[in-house]
Amino acid sequence: MGAEELVEVVLPGPVEPEGVQLRHRAVPSPGPGQVLIRMEATGVSFAEQQMRRGRYYDQPALPFVPGYDLVGTVLAAGGGVEPGLTGTRVAALVKVGGWASHVLVEAADVVPVPDGVGPAEAETMVVNGITAWQMLHRKARVRAGQTILVHGANGGVGSVLVQLARSAGVKVIGTASARHHDALREQGVIPIDYRTEDIAARVRVLAPGGVDAVFDHVGGRGILDSWQLLAPGGTLVSYGSASTRDDTGSKQLPVLRLLGRVWLWNALPNGRHAYFFNIWAGRALAKNRFRARLRADLSQVFAALQRGEVTARIAAQLPLARTADALRLAESGTVAGKVVLNP
């Protein structure tokens, strides 16, 4: 590869966005079963916002290269890898390591990006799309005609979830700040302003018998309302603890509290279900099954994107050298869509 050089963003410790560092090194060669991807798009997820504070519940030891997912072109393949992969555009969910110009990934973990889908568009759908699809179809198992409540309907995961649900014939009530309500109404969503309205009271008017599913990334005290708004047989899917993002103290505790609640609720004999969604669940025990499911689900999301059922929302695209600005922007709460990083 001659003159090519790898550029990566390093998180040295719990720092302000400006504290991230750029590092240059030689481009590595793929080992057996690996591919070398030239990154075309990666992004800022909620996970990195927590990692930078040292608050993500299973982040690696510092320093490390963050980057939950990426999209790029396969430059080279190691031994035992399908040679046809070289030159193709793929997506990968990696948890860490994506914020780099070149990334080594297990070939079994890459998912082809269909023709006509650009790298930044595809990037907005990797972690958010898989999360939304699996929560909707594998956990809540929603069906046409049902009613669901989506907290943060304008967020990264929420916006994809809302669109997938609408395309499945589901009625959606979504919480968001007032400035996003017109956009939500255009998608057929009934908006609630979480800042000024009593969410629980409003949902009870809209769905007197309760909702069939609630998707809650906020955690904290509000999770009790989410549970109580469920119809008999309904499902609560909790997938984060945004309300504790800026807390100090144990980073495990908010998650453990949620897990404890979920366990307790599932023990109650009322036919309702609660899940704490973890995108990595099952990987340690059944790697191949995990990979097959992930490939199937992301392929479904990419197909929905191609059909126009889901639209990619790109808030901004910035180069790796401006990762600090990208983090600040993503954390500002002022943008709609994903902040994407390019090489």
Side-chain angles (χ1 to χ4, degrees), residues 149 151 173-182 184-185 189-206 222 225 229:
L149 170 63
H151 286 291
I173 303 166
T175 70
S177 51
R179 66 175 183 276
H180 301 302
H181 286 196
D182 288 344
L184 288 171
R185 282 190 199 98
V189 176
I190 303 163
I192 298 177
D193 186 344
Y194 66 90
R195 292 193 170 127
T196 61
E197 296 183 78
D198 179 336
I199 298 171
R202 186 98 167 79
V203 172
R204 286 195 180 95
V205 171
L206 294 167
D225 281 338
L229 289 169

Side-chain angles (χ1 to χ4, degrees), residues 49-68:
Q49 299 174 36
Q50 288 182 302
M51 287 177 189
R52 140 181 121 60
R53 296 166 166 81
R55 304 271 318 152
Y56 190 72
Y57 63 98
D58 62 347
Q59 68 189 62
L62 293 151
F64 66 92
V65 176
Y68 217 87

Side-chain angles (χ1 to χ4, degrees), residues 34-311:
Q34 290 184 323
V35 290
L36 175 69
I37 299 172
R38 181 194 279 128
M39 185 271 284
E40 293 170 279
T42 181
V44 182
S45 311
F46 186 68
E48 288 97 23
Q49 299 174 36
Q50 288 182 302
M51 287 177 189
R52 140 181 121 60
R53 296 166 166 81
R55 304 271 318 152
Y56 190 72
Y57 63 98
D58 62 347
Q59 68 189 62
L62 293 151
F64 66 92
V65 176
Y68 217 87
D69 56 9
L70 72 144
V71 172
T73 298
V74 176
L75 281 189
V81 175
E82 173 63 45
L85 264 181
T86 305
T88 63
R89 178 172 287 153
V90 296
L93 186 73
V94 289
K95 193 185 278 188
V96 293
W99 289 0
S101 60
H102 301 73
V103 184
L104 287 177
V105 179
E106 294 289 314
D109 287 327
V110 305
V111 179
V113 175
D115 291 340
V117 175
E121 287 176 284
E123 160 57 27
T124 66
M125 292 293 154
V126 187
V127 66
N128 292 346
I130 295 164
T131 299
W133 181 274
Q134 292 187 343
M135 292 197 304
L136 204 58
H137 294 295
R138 293 193 182 270
K139 292 294 181 203
R141 299 179 181 275
V142 298
R143 298 185 303 281
Q146 289 188 324
T147 302
I148 66 172
L149 170 63
V150 179
H151 286 291
N154 183 67
V157 173
S159 58
V160 181
L161 205 145
V162 157
Q163 295 178 80
L164 289 172
R166 293 296 297 142
S167 71
V170 172
K171 179 179 168 183
V172 180
I173 303 166
T175 70
S177 51
R179 66 175 183 276
H180 301 302
H181 286 196
D182 288 344
L184 288 171
R185 282 190 199 98
E186 277 169 33
Q187 294 171 57
V189 176
I190 303 163
I192 298 177
D193 186 344
Y194 66 90
R195 292 193 170 127
T196 61
E197 296 183 78
D198 179 336
I199 298 171
R202 186 98 167 79
V203 172
R204 286 195 180 95
V205 171
L206 294 167
V211 292
D212 297 294
V214 180
F215 299 90
D216 187 318
H217 68 304
V218 186
R221 299 199 58 79
I223 197 94
L224 296 166
D225 281 338
S226 291
W227 175 252
Q228 283 155 2
L229 289 169
L230 288 177
T235 305
L236 165 64
V237 187
S238 162
Y239 66 103
S241 187
S243 63
T244 60
R245 184 185 78 174
D246 298 325
D247 289 7
T248 52
S250 163
K251 58 176 180 266
Q252 270 83 23
L253 196 60
V255 174
L256 291 173
R257 275 202 190 115
L258 279 172
L259 288 172
R261 257 193 192 135
V262 162
W263 182 86
L264 192 66
W265 282 334
N266 283 330
L268 297 172
N270 60 12
R272 297 176 188 163
H273 302 281
Y275 294 102
F276 182 75
F277 180 80
N278 170 12
I279 201 166
W280 299 101
R283 192 173 197 272
L285 296 171
K287 206 177 221 177
N288 290 338
R289 203 169 117 223
F290 173 87
R291 284 166 162 162
R293 201 169 51 196
L294 191 133
R295 180 176 287 115
D297 296 346
L298 185 53
S299 298
Q300 291 269 21
V301 173
F302 283 154
L305 184 62
Q306 273 186 305
R307 290 193 298 268
E309 291 169 10
V310 191
T311 50

